[in-house]
Amino acid sequence: RAKADGRNRARHYDAAMDEERRQRRWLAHELCDAVTRGELHLAFQPIADCATRRIIGQEALARWTHPVLGAVSPDVFIAIAEEDGLIAEIGQHLLVEALTVARQWPIEWMLAINLSPVQLRDPALAARMLAAIEALGFAPCRLEVEVTEGVLIDERDTAMANLRALRAAGVRIVMDDFGTGYSSLSSLQQFPFDKIKIDRSFIAGMNEEGPALSIVRASVGLGRSLNIPVVAEGVESEQQYAVLQALGCEQIQGYLIGRPATFQAKAA
Ligand code: C2E
Ligand code: MG
Ligand code: MG
Ligand code: MG
């Protein structure tokens, strides 16, 4: 009887796996058409100067609204795009859209975009991006590229070459989700990042007793001694804001300042 139960469970498990694989194949197929069907777009979330709360730029965040499924998380569809070799096309499409929107912003605002480790492994990435930036007449010094420390793990030489080429053109390179990886400090030693973005889990953790506040304080101090600005992501409350301001954090981003929105935020 126990054996029969086990077999049933195994069969059930196999069926669930099959279903998951089928769903994923279907999603990949749908994603293939998403660009031409105009289902992919960007949301923009403001980044503000901490001392004055004035908006200094916006981060572009990818959105996919599927006609049947509705909103699919970027964490899901970026991964699918990477596995199915669609990421180069989608990434370039989103970059052009982001630049086109950002061209209409106040001249002092910067645009931040995200690049995944897989994107950085493409030897042609930086040249392709810089060509679009030039073609659209966008000043490279207004662009920030957010990467996680994962970019420096596999095929490190290609990733570094891309980051160096972007940086040489004036693009700033930001370490995103700082503190969550296996070797955040080590990556700061491997590449001259221009800014540190503290992961939102530490900002959320400041509400409770525990080490989060110390970690945020140390991260702000780290930025200061490296002579690069620090931005806190996921700032949701006035209380968190007050703490960050007292610590001397340079920039903030989060629902307190603005949620990602598909329309353009007005200048503050
Ligand atoms: P990320 O770059 O760390 O983006 C921050 C995420 O935190 C976004 O989720 C944003 O909506 C969310 N967020 C912002 N403020 C708050 C807040 O105050 N509270 C809370 N709880 N959450 C907040 P989203 O848009 O789902 O993006 C998830 C991740 O997907 C991004 O993390 C980024 O790594 C990736 N991603 C998004 N767009 C792109 C893209 O165009 N290309 C690539 N390669 N990756 C992208
Ligand atoms: Mg980001
Ligand atoms: Mg982040
Ligand atoms: Mg993230």
Side-chain angles (χ1 to χ4, degrees), residues 59 114 146 148 176-178 197-200 233 253:
E59 177 179 6
N114 294 281
E146 301 189 356
T148 56
D176 202 351
D177 301 345
F178 179 73
K197 185 180 265 197
I198 307 174
D199 189 71
R200 67 171 187 265
E233 70 174 10
Q253 184 180 23

Side-chain angles (χ1 to χ4, degrees), residues 30-31 33-35 37-46 58-67 69-78 81 87 90-91 93-95 97-98 114 200 253 255 258-263:
E30 290 291 295
L31 186 57
D33 298 333
V35 177
R37 293 198 299 226
E39 293 165 11
L40 288 180
H41 61 280
L42 290 168
F44 292 91
Q45 183 178 34
Q58 304 216 59
E59 177 179 6
L61 294 161
R63 295 289 178 263
W64 179 19
T65 313
H66 184 270
L69 297 172
V72 183
S73 162
D75 288 321
V76 171
F77 74 79
I78 298 286
I87 192 64
I90 288 176
H93 172 81
L94 291 174
L95 173 68
E97 187 185 325
N114 294 281
R200 67 171 187 265
Q253 184 180 23
Y255 295 168
R259 289 184 180 249
T262 47
F263 50 86

